[in-house]
Amino acid sequence: MKLAPLDITSNIDNTITKYTNVKSTKILRTLQLFIKMSVKIRAAYTNSISTSRIIFTCLAAVIVRYYLMLSKYQTVIANHVEVSTPLNSWKRVSEGLYLISKNINPYEGDVLHETPLSLYLYKNILLVFQDRIHLAFITFDVATAIILFFTTKKFNWDLFVEEENNKETFAKDAVECFLKPEKLFKSSYYVLLTYLFNPFTLFSCVGYSTTVFYNFYLAVMMFCMVHGISVICGIFLALAASVSFYPVVLILPVTMYFKYAIKSNFKIIINLFSFITTSVLIMLMCTDFGKDFSYIRNVYGCILTVPDLQPNIGLFWYFFTEMFEHFRELFIYAFQINNTILYLVPISLRFRKHPFLLTVAINFIITIFKSYPSVGDVGFVLSVVPSFPHLFPFSQQGFLVGTMLIISTSLAPILYYLWIYCNSANANFYFGVTLSFAVAQIFLLTDLLFSQVKRDYMLKYGKNRKIDGEEGILCLE
């Protein structure tokens, strides 16, 4: 009969307690920590997911995407406003590339909202894949999932090591809150599954949404962040910011990760230098070294001023359709501040010791409040949520959030069809669904953050809710 890992560690504790003295306690405790971690890691990896299973999962995702892209449903999916927006529509990219081939400036009209650098990358992708552009989207989408898998795997490993090193500082009755390696190390596979078979990311890929490439930039940035590769992290953060502008605020959580998780001020400086240098180079390339700035109005002007009021899953289009024109500038400032700097400082200060969670949270805020969101953006942030299995026991809104997401996702295309094609509904119906969709994401984000607060409290004070003789109150301050 094999001895369970918990029995092994308890025997180690008894043996060390029996044979230690005052002088050798520190050395033996370090040895104890090393042995206990080895036992737990071995037990976790015994039950971990095999490489063949990961490969099979990726192949299944490729087959599903390939089938849908060659089916009659591809056009239907690509034409839905939940999937394609003015900023990520492949039709607009194709038109822009055609205009360039005829030596016509694609930014003279109001059709194209991609940067010149993005057009150059798409042009080269077309040259590589030729008529099989669907293979390019599948390749980048599956690559994003694999990168997220290794990102969360590294994050969970670092989290486990940090907690093992600090266990002596935790409350004695907080054992049930400790990380369980057999669950923690499997969460990266659940991230892979969630991204590959999430309907949001699946439809984004099938619908030829350029959000697939944007998600790839974010995934590489997060991978380099957790692995401490500061130069490439800054480069891909600059690429993501050049596409959507909003990711520029991610420089703060990335900086905090290098400071509190990796503990390297040198990497912070290198990352900032890499980000600024790459941003300047991108601007020079896009403006043909200062000769043509016309793309700025079509790309960043469109993101910031919201001139195209085509319905989407965001909150901007309805407000700016209904309001009086002389209030437009006021609401533009209010909405954009809400999405960029309003929550950035307080949430960064509160969760500075949890920089990976902070990065995911700010990505969530960007997705909810950006001017032209799509289901591809939502799918990306939802796929990272399984990397926090240690927070799930403290969450309380899971059923409510899941129900709201399913219902609003199902009703959105139905109400849009009734509004646009059948004239039996109006904009209020569709906006009600998009508002419910945004509220569900907000509930999920706040529940995730509050779960971290609860867990921190339990680790520090245990089950006892009294602090200095008074009843403690948990809050997000």
Side-chain angles (χ1 to χ4, degrees):
M1 182 176 178
K2 292 184 178 180
L3 196 62
L6 289 179
D7 296 332
I8 294 175
T9 54
S10 62
N11 289 341
I12 293 170
D13 289 337
N14 295 333
T15 304
I16 289 179
T17 304
K18 184 177 180 180
Y19 294 103
T20 54
N21 51 45
V22 178
K23 296 181 180 179
S24 60
T25 298
K26 187 175 182 180
I27 298 175
L28 290 176
R29 284 297 174 188
T30 304
L31 178 62
Q32 176 197 28
L33 177 63
F34 175 77
I35 297 174
K36 290 172 70 175
M37 285 180 62
S38 300
V39 170
K40 290 184 178 181
I41 292 169
R42 183 179 179 183
Y45 275 97
T46 302
N47 299 320
S48 63
I49 307 300
S50 62
T51 305
S52 59
R53 189 172 180 180
I54 295 172
I55 295 174
F56 176 78
T57 302
C58 294
L59 287 176
V62 169
I63 292 171
V64 172
R65 282 163 169 76
Y66 188 80
Y67 171 76
L68 290 175
M69 285 178 168
L70 297 183
S71 69
K72 61 182 179 181
Y73 302 109
Q74 192 279 328
T75 305
V76 177
I77 294 172
N79 290 332
H80 267 282
V81 295
E82 297 86 7
V83 176
S84 296
T85 69
L87 296 184
N88 67 5
S89 173
W90 185 251
K91 287 183 178 180
R92 297 187 180 226
V93 171
S94 301
E95 184 171 346
L97 292 174
Y98 177 79
L99 292 175
I100 290 175
S101 67
K102 299 298 180 181
N103 294 321
I104 300 174
N105 186 355
Y107 299 106
E108 288 181 354
D110 194 29
V111 174
L112 185 64
H113 303 293
E114 298 276 356
T115 63
L117 178 61
S118 297
L119 287 179
Y120 177 77
L121 293 175
Y122 300 149
K123 182 180 178 180
N124 284 276
I125 289 173
L126 285 172
L127 290 175
V128 173
F129 289 92
Q130 297 180 359
D131 295 332
R132 298 180 180 86
I133 187 61
H134 54 282
L135 296 181
F137 282 92
I138 293 175
T139 301
F140 276 90
D141 210 35
V142 175
T144 301
I146 295 172
I147 292 169
L148 285 178
F149 169 79
F150 287 107
T151 301
T152 53
K153 191 174 184 179
K154 180 64 166 62
F155 160 70
N156 289 328
W157 166 255
D158 292 341
L159 188 67
F160 175 72
V161 171
E162 181 184 4
E163 182 165 303
E164 288 294 320
N165 291 332
N166 297 326
K167 265 189 177 180
E168 294 184 358
T169 63
F170 298 151
K172 295 181 179 179
D173 59 344
V175 179
E176 62 186 43
C177 300
F178 291 169
L179 295 174
K180 298 174 177 58
E182 63 275 5
K183 292 184 178 180
L184 189 66
F185 294 144
K186 282 185 178 181
S187 63
S188 55
Y189 178 69
Y190 298 140
V191 169
L192 182 74
L193 277 178
T194 306
Y195 188 90
L196 290 177
F197 298 102
N198 187 334
F200 298 144
T201 52
L202 183 62
F203 289 158
S204 180
C205 180
V206 173
Y208 293 171
S209 167
T210 58
T211 304
V212 170
F213 303 102
Y214 170 72
N215 289 344
F216 176 78
Y217 297 152
L218 287 180
V220 176
M221 183 272 294
M222 294 174 67
F223 175 86
C224 295
M225 179 184 73
V226 298
H227 285 83
I229 311 174
S230 54
V231 175
I232 302 178
C233 179
I235 291 173
F236 277 88
L237 179 56
L239 285 171
S242 70
V243 172
S244 181
F245 176 76
Y246 294 114
V248 69
V249 299
L250 290 174
I251 192 66
L252 186 57
V254 169
T255 300
M256 290 190 172
Y257 194 93
F258 288 136
K259 179 175 178 59
Y260 291 102
I262 299 181
K263 299 177 181 178
S264 173
N265 293 329
F266 178 73
K267 288 185 180 294
I268 294 175
I269 297 172
I270 294 298
N271 179 70
L272 290 173
F273 178 78
S274 174
F275 172 74
I276 295 171
T277 304
T278 306
S279 299
V280 172
L281 290 176
I282 290 173
M283 186 189 68
L284 291 175
M285 294 175 63
C286 290
T287 59
D288 193 14
F289 294 93
K291 295 179 181 178
D292 185 10
F293 291 87
S294 59
Y295 86 97
I296 294 179
R297 179 184 63 86
N298 278 44
V299 180
Y300 305 120
C302 181
I303 295 173
L304 295 175
T305 61
V306 201
D308 193 327
L309 298 179
Q310 174 183 310
N312 52 63
I313 61 171
L315 305 175
F316 277 71
W317 67 272
Y318 183 83
F319 282 97
F320 292 107
T321 301
E322 298 294 328
M323 74 172 58
F324 292 109
E325 189 63 27
H326 55 273
F327 289 123
R328 180 181 177 84
E329 189 173 354
L330 171 64
F331 277 84
I332 284 288
Y333 287 133
F335 273 63
Q336 298 295 359
I337 290 174
N338 181 70
N339 191 27
T340 51
I341 61 175
L342 183 62
Y343 306 107
L344 181 63
V345 174
I347 200 174
S348 298
L349 290 175
R350 179 59 185 84
F351 295 98
R352 63 188 182 278
K353 299 291 182 63
H354 307 284
F356 187 81
L357 176 63
L358 177 62
T359 305
V360 175
I362 293 178
N363 260 323
F364 247 116
I365 294 172
I366 292 173
T367 300
I368 297 169
F369 297 110
K370 69 191 299 187
S371 52
Y372 294 99
S374 67
V375 291
D377 300 305
V378 181
F380 181 86
V381 290
L382 288 180
S383 64
V384 189
V385 172
S387 61
F388 303 102
H390 54 288
L391 302 183
F392 293 163
F394 300 94
S395 63
Q396 296 178 334
Q397 308 291 342
F399 177 77
L400 177 63
V401 169
T403 304
M404 292 178 69
L405 286 176
I406 292 173
I407 293 176
S408 57
T409 303
S410 303
L411 286 178
I414 297 173
L415 293 178
Y416 184 80
Y417 180 82
L418 293 175
W419 170 29
I420 300 298
Y421 296 100
C422 298
N423 293 323
S424 58
N426 55 41
N428 296 324
F429 288 76
Y430 186 75
F431 178 71
V433 171
T434 60
L435 185 62
S436 174
F437 191 71
V439 170
Q441 296 175 69
I442 294 171
F443 281 0
L444 176 58
L445 175 59
T446 54
D447 196 28
L448 196 64
L449 295 178
F450 197 44
S451 296
Q452 183 64 62
V453 173
K454 291 177 183 177
R455 186 172 186 273
D456 289 343
Y457 178 89
M458 288 283 288
L459 289 176
K460 186 175 182 180
Y461 298 104
K463 296 180 180 180
N464 181 26
R465 290 185 175 271
K466 290 187 177 181
I467 301 176
D468 297 331
E470 298 182 359
E471 191 71 21
I473 301 176
L474 292 176
C475 58
L476 282 174
E477 294 181 359

